[in-house]
Amino acid sequence: MPGSRGIDGVRLLGRLQALGAVGRGPDGALTRLAGSDADKHGRDLVSGWMREAGLRVEVDQVGNLFGTLDGSDAAADPVMVGSHIDSVINAGIYDGCYGVLAGLEVAQRFAETGAGLARPLTIAAFTDEEGVRFQPDMLGSLVHAGGLSVEAALASVGTDGATLGDELARIGYAGAMVPGTIRPSAYLELHIEQGPVLEHEGVRIGAVENLQGISWQRVTIEGDANHAGTTPIRMRRDAGLAAARVVTFLRDHVDASNAPTVATVGTMRFEPDAINVIPSRATFTVDLRDPDEDRLKAAEAALAAYLDRLARQDGVTVSTERLARFDPVIFDEGLVRRIEQAARARGLSCRRMTSGAGHDAQMMARLAPSAMIFVPSVGGISHNPKEFTEPADLVAGAEVLMDVVAELCGG
Amino acid sequence: MPGSRGIDGVRLLGRLQALGAVGRGPDGALTRLAGSDADKHGRDLVSGWMREAGLRVEVDQVGNLFGTLDGSDAAADPVMVGSHIDSVINAGIYDGCYGVLAGLEVAQRFAETGAGLARPLTIAAFTDEEGVRFQPDMLGSLVHAGGLSVEAALASVGTDGATLGDELARIGYAGAMVPGTIRPSAYLELHIEQGPVLEHEGVRIGAVENLQGISWQRVTIEGDANHAGTTPIRMRRDAGLAAARVVTFLRDHVDASNAPTVATVGTMRFEPDAINVIPSRATFTVDLRDPDEDRLKAAEAALAAYLDRLARQDGVTVSTERLARFDPVIFDEGLVRRIEQAARARGLSCRRMTSGAGHDAQMMARLAPSAMIFVPSVGGISHNPKEFTEPADLVAGAEVLMDVVAELCGG
């Protein structure tokens, strides 16, 4: 049994494993996409644990799930601790789930130890943070922060053709509460780093002071389907070749830019997709990120200029569609300082850092002073079954969270 | 009504349209893959026309469909005229079907005019020439020529997981005849050029003297799935990027080679195929062709060397699988000369040429003296709904075929 200054690490780790077992396919791979049956089972598990911890459970119209521990000051806005439990395809068990379950553990410890908070403490699991099935990503927190209407969110069409609204109703998580009803006084998100910096430097806690801007586009290139054996090279309009040129251009561009810009082409599709037919169409996505808005715009402009040149040189038709665009975010300086102080008070090494990934905190920063706490990711690996954080680091992060929440809630 | 020296062009063109209507999807696109329901309906139509023309219909164990007009010399090996009626995805109506239906038209005219052939004339529609669903391509004629066992052919697993054997049985075209039973004294194949040469030069008939060698490989590149936002560029093992580098390498290589080598990457797949995940795996096909075996080997070697270098430089794992490999083919000089003479006798301009595409004649050349006749393709377009040959050229090609067949069959 932990002391009143600690969390129950065994319980937290056990819940991470239990939630991580939900959504395994026949091959053992974890895929818990938003609105899926696996998402329903994960939500059932988490909301059950919330009730067990004595939290009041609420679900809003876009499926955001909240569990609140009441404080003595009924009029005070709550401190909110959140993240998400949807996953990418073939995912690890920590991304998102760690933040939700650590928040739940902190609330449960406060309830068990009779800490007597002044402000309420709300634990949030936001819908569709990953954006793999429904776009945009960070959908639930974006709606909560007023950046997207409930109607638009529910009408979002998934990669499988289903709408989010239908899927939430189907799995029983289309709630009645209007999104944004719970207005936090501060928002904290604890997360695995998903990158290699903390491990590489041997630092235990990251106090996240800003977050990269994100630009997602879908690019479609159209050429001519034609016979692979009889069409002379000079007469081809090969959409697949043009797409490959864009992929290598993006790498060359970021290699040459001497900036932290990253570019990724994660999806690619050729049509008609036959061995002996020159592709008439190639469709792919481009993910560009940079902590600096001007540099992010410059990368977008360089891509647009390259696509123009490619259309002229290869005789192909190029169109682009914006899938998501979020400016870089600067987190609340006061909260970042509290995180540093809490880490120091527990004897944990700490550094300020940038979040390379998008997180719900990015959206919540529009509503309330926000910041994030990172713990090391072994090998920097995430969005991968090999995603791993040492148990001691998971517990340490949750205890820093507990200390900052205790200060913010008061009482 | 045509004279005895001509074919019934209206009947031939009408059958091309009728067969071209079989296998249209809801969007109007023609896709008649081997062993599909559409293939069954196409086979029903063609075998019905064969019977109507007085031909004896036989089907072998791999679904090759034959219609024979008996000759007066019962002991003589037949002259065979063949091609295929399966199609690529979103195909035109001429590729393959023209050769089968023109052969049928020639046989029917001989029957109608009481030409009294000495040798039998067999019209063949070979199974799965395109190789889009089941590999290798030219499967039916390869089995007929003894290059692949019946067991291996029937066990071929399609892109949809079905086996050819099951599909042939399902559609009622798993025949009893042992493949290769019909041993031709000569093989002729009439086909649209599927390339731009005849049209560009204003020539009506191509006497095809050789055929490009074909090398098909599947390449799989494995890297690490990782988060697109947090993984520094220098730490990535991006399988999608490596695949794109191969695509651009192949184009650079053939551009620099000063040879007729062509290279095509027609299929491409990324895994896990998510916007914000670096691809852990890219799978694609490479189609290399050259009329010269040494140059084809050199292109394969250049690709292999590049893949080795890529594995070292990008830290990815590369594996290749051979899907098909056919040496270039030299057709029978005597038959090629007969085609030139027949064209000249009808006042049709003619040139010798290389086939850029693979054809069943490539397999049949292992068994019997073989050659091909080409007619112009408008715009050089094939494997595309815009595939088109002028009716006058379709009729001219069929009449050249008729004259060569009449000479070969004698009587």
Side-chain angles (χ1 to χ4, degrees):
Chain A
M1 189 63 185
S4 66
R5 284 200 66 237
I7 61 149
D8 185 341
V10 172
R11 182 166 59 194
L12 171 59
L13 299 173
R15 284 176 177 166
L16 273 166
Q17 294 298 328
L19 182 54
V22 174
R24 300 271 166 193
D27 56 352
L30 171 63
T31 300
R32 200 167 56 235
L33 302 184
S36 65
D37 289 348
D39 188 22
K40 173 199 162 40
H41 296 144
R43 288 164 175 269
D44 289 351
L45 209 54
V46 171
S47 55
W49 289 329
M50 284 176 167
R51 288 191 187 90
E52 185 185 307
L55 308 191
R56 185 163 33 80
V57 173
E58 292 164 293
V59 179
D60 75 13
Q61 293 165 334
V62 296
N64 292 324
L65 172 66
F66 302 96
T68 298
L69 178 67
D70 290 327
S72 57
D73 182 354
D77 288 332
V79 170
M80 186 181 286
V81 171
S83 200
H84 62 95
I85 65 163
D86 68 309
S87 84
V88 296
I89 296 162
N90 198 18
I93 69 170
Y94 302 96
D95 178 358
C97 301
Y98 172 50
V100 173
L101 296 179
L104 169 60
E105 175 58 32
V106 166
Q108 188 159 3
R109 286 300 292 152
F110 285 143
E112 287 168 347
T113 57
L117 304 178
R119 287 184 185 279
L121 171 60
T122 298
I123 311 307
F126 292 108
T127 295
D128 190 45
E129 193 270 350
E130 294 292 0
V132 171
R133 188 177 181 202
F134 298 101
Q135 282 157 7
D137 57 340
M138 297 168 280
L139 181 146
S141 50
L142 179 61
V143 173
H144 187 97
L148 180 71
S149 72
V150 171
E151 294 68 33
L154 296 180
S156 177
V157 177
T159 49
D160 51 1
T163 64
L164 178 61
D166 288 347
E167 286 294 271
L168 286 174
R170 186 182 67 82
I171 67 169
Y173 280 89
M177 187 168 72
V178 173
T181 301
I182 304 179
R183 205 167 178 88
S185 57
Y187 177 83
L188 288 169
E189 185 164 355
L190 172 63
H191 209 282
I192 58 167
E193 180 194 341
Q194 308 184 274
V197 176
L198 290 174
E199 185 193 43
H200 185 73
E201 300 189 357
V203 172
R204 306 284 303 280
I205 297 290
V208 184
E209 59 182 352
N210 60 13
L211 189 145
Q212 289 189 123
I214 300 180
S215 163
W216 281 6
Q217 293 177 74
R218 180 180 293 124
V219 181
T220 303
I221 298 184
E222 310 219 39
D224 277 330
N226 224 320
H227 193 292
T230 62
T231 313
I233 291 295
R234 70 186 176 287
M235 291 181 63
R236 296 180 175 211
R237 293 173 65 235
D238 184 334
L241 171 68
R245 291 198 204 282
V246 178
V247 176
T248 62
F249 162 78
L250 285 168
R251 172 57 65 94
D252 293 344
H253 177 78
V254 301
D255 277 348
S257 69
N258 197 26
T261 319
V262 288
T264 307
V265 174
T267 78
M268 176 68 72
R269 196 142 300 159
F270 283 8
E271 290 174 38
D273 200 40
I275 297 181
N276 56 347
V277 184
I278 298 162
S280 57
R281 181 182 290 169
T283 309
F284 57 97
T285 51
V286 177
D287 174 318
L288 291 172
R289 307 198 194 197
D290 197 295
D292 180 79
E293 175 63 16
D294 290 340
R295 280 199 310 259
L296 185 56
K297 280 186 178 144
E300 292 176 320
L303 172 60
Y306 183 77
L307 293 176
D308 280 350
R309 203 160 77 229
L310 189 66
R312 283 195 308 277
Q313 288 179 354
D314 280 27
V316 292
T317 305
V318 180
S319 59
T320 61
E321 179 192 355
R322 168 141 293 171
L323 300 177
R325 180 63 160 82
F326 298 117
D327 291 350
V329 171
I330 312 290
F331 286 128
D332 183 78
E333 175 60 24
L335 285 180
V336 174
R337 217 172 286 146
R338 280 183 198 264
I339 293 164
E340 290 180 301
Q341 286 160 359
R344 211 169 302 132
R346 286 199 181 255
L348 298 164
S349 54
C350 179
R351 63 161 279 171
R352 290 186 170 224
M353 61 193 305
T354 293
S355 172
H359 293 291
D360 293 307
Q362 176 176 354
M363 300 305 149
M364 296 305 289
R366 299 183 186 188
L367 269 192
S370 299
M372 296 188 70
I373 305 167
F374 276 0
V375 294
S377 290
V378 173
I381 296 170
S382 185
H383 285 186
N384 185 303
K386 287 181 277 184
E387 184 179 277
F388 183 67
T389 295
E390 294 293 349
D393 288 331
L394 293 170
V395 171
E399 292 185 337
V400 170
L401 175 69
M402 181 165 78
D403 295 350
V404 178
V405 167
E407 267 189 70
L408 294 174
C409 286
Chain B
M1 189 64 186
S4 66
R5 285 199 64 238
I7 61 148
D8 185 341
V10 171
R11 182 167 60 195
L12 171 59
L13 299 173
R15 283 177 177 166
L16 273 166
Q17 294 298 328
L19 182 54
V22 174
R24 301 270 166 193
D27 55 352
L30 171 63
T31 300
R32 200 167 56 235
L33 302 185
S36 65
D37 289 348
D39 189 22
K40 173 198 163 39
H41 297 143
R43 288 162 174 271
D44 289 351
L45 208 53
V46 171
S47 55
W49 289 329
M50 285 175 167
R51 288 191 187 90
E52 187 185 307
L55 308 191
R56 185 164 32 81
V57 173
E58 292 164 293
V59 179
D60 76 13
Q61 292 165 335
V62 297
N64 293 323
L65 172 66
F66 302 98
T68 297
L69 178 67
D70 289 327
S72 55
D73 182 353
D77 287 332
V79 171
M80 186 180 286
V81 171
S83 199
H84 62 94
I85 66 162
D86 67 309
S87 84
V88 297
I89 296 162
N90 198 17
I93 69 169
Y94 302 97
D95 178 358
C97 300
Y98 172 50
V100 173
L101 296 179
L104 170 60
E105 175 56 32
V106 166
Q108 189 158 4
R109 287 300 293 150
F110 286 144
E112 287 168 347
T113 58
L117 304 178
R119 288 185 185 279
L121 170 60
T122 297
I123 312 306
F126 292 108
T127 296
D128 190 44
E129 193 270 350
E130 294 292 0
V132 171
R133 187 177 182 201
F134 298 101
Q135 283 157 8
D137 57 341
M138 296 168 281
L139 181 146
S141 50
L142 179 61
V143 173
H144 187 98
L148 181 71
S149 72
V150 171
E151 296 66 35
L154 296 179
S156 176
V157 177
T159 48
D160 52 0
T163 65
L164 177 61
D166 289 346
E167 287 293 271
L168 286 174
R170 185 181 67 81
I171 67 170
Y173 280 89
M177 187 166 72
V178 173
T181 300
I182 304 179
R183 207 169 176 86
S185 57
Y187 177 82
L188 288 168
E189 185 164 354
L190 171 62
H191 209 283
I192 58 167
E193 180 195 341
Q194 308 184 276
V197 176
L198 290 174
E199 185 194 43
H200 185 72
E201 300 189 357
V203 173
R204 304 286 302 280
I205 297 290
V208 184
E209 61 181 349
N210 60 14
L211 189 146
Q212 288 190 124
I214 301 180
S215 164
W216 281 5
Q217 292 177 74
R218 180 179 292 123
V219 181
T220 303
I221 298 184
E222 310 218 40
D224 278 330
N226 225 321
H227 193 292
T230 62
T231 313
I233 292 293
R234 70 185 178 287
M235 292 181 63
R236 296 179 176 212
R237 292 174 65 235
D238 184 332
L241 172 68
R245 291 197 203 282
V246 178
V247 176
T248 62
F249 163 79
L250 285 168
R251 172 57 65 95
D252 292 345
H253 177 77
V254 300
D255 277 348
S257 70
N258 197 28
T261 319
V262 288
T264 306
V265 175
T267 78
M268 176 67 73
R269 195 143 300 158
F270 282 9
E271 289 175 39
D273 200 40
I275 296 180
N276 56 348
V277 185
I278 298 163
S280 58
R281 180 181 293 169
T283 309
F284 57 98
T285 51
V286 177
D287 174 317
L288 290 172
R289 307 197 194 198
D290 197 294
D292 181 79
E293 175 63 16
D294 290 341
R295 280 200 310 260
L296 185 57
K297 279 186 179 142
E300 292 176 323
L303 172 60
Y306 183 77
L307 293 176
D308 280 349
R309 205 161 76 230
L310 189 66
R312 285 196 307 277
Q313 287 179 356
D314 279 27
V316 291
T317 305
V318 180
S319 60
T320 61
E321 179 192 355
R322 168 141 292 173
L323 299 178
R325 180 62 160 82
F326 299 117
D327 291 351
V329 171
I330 313 290
F331 286 129
D332 182 76
E333 174 60 23
L335 285 180
V336 174
R337 216 172 285 146
R338 281 182 197 264
I339 293 164
E340 289 180 302
Q341 286 160 0
R344 210 170 301 131
R346 286 200 180 253
L348 297 165
S349 54
C350 179
R351 64 160 279 171
R352 290 188 171 222
M353 61 192 304
T354 294
S355 172
H359 294 291
D360 292 307
Q362 177 176 354
M363 301 304 150
M364 296 303 290
R366 300 183 185 186
L367 269 193
S370 299
M372 296 189 70
I373 305 167
F374 276 179
V375 293
S377 289
V378 173
I381 296 171
S382 186
H383 284 185
N384 186 303
K386 287 181 277 184
E387 183 179 276
F388 183 67
T389 295
E390 293 292 347
D393 289 332
L394 293 170
V395 170
E399 293 186 335
V400 170
L401 175 67
M402 181 165 78
D403 295 350
V404 178
V405 167
E407 267 190 70
L408 295 173
C409 286

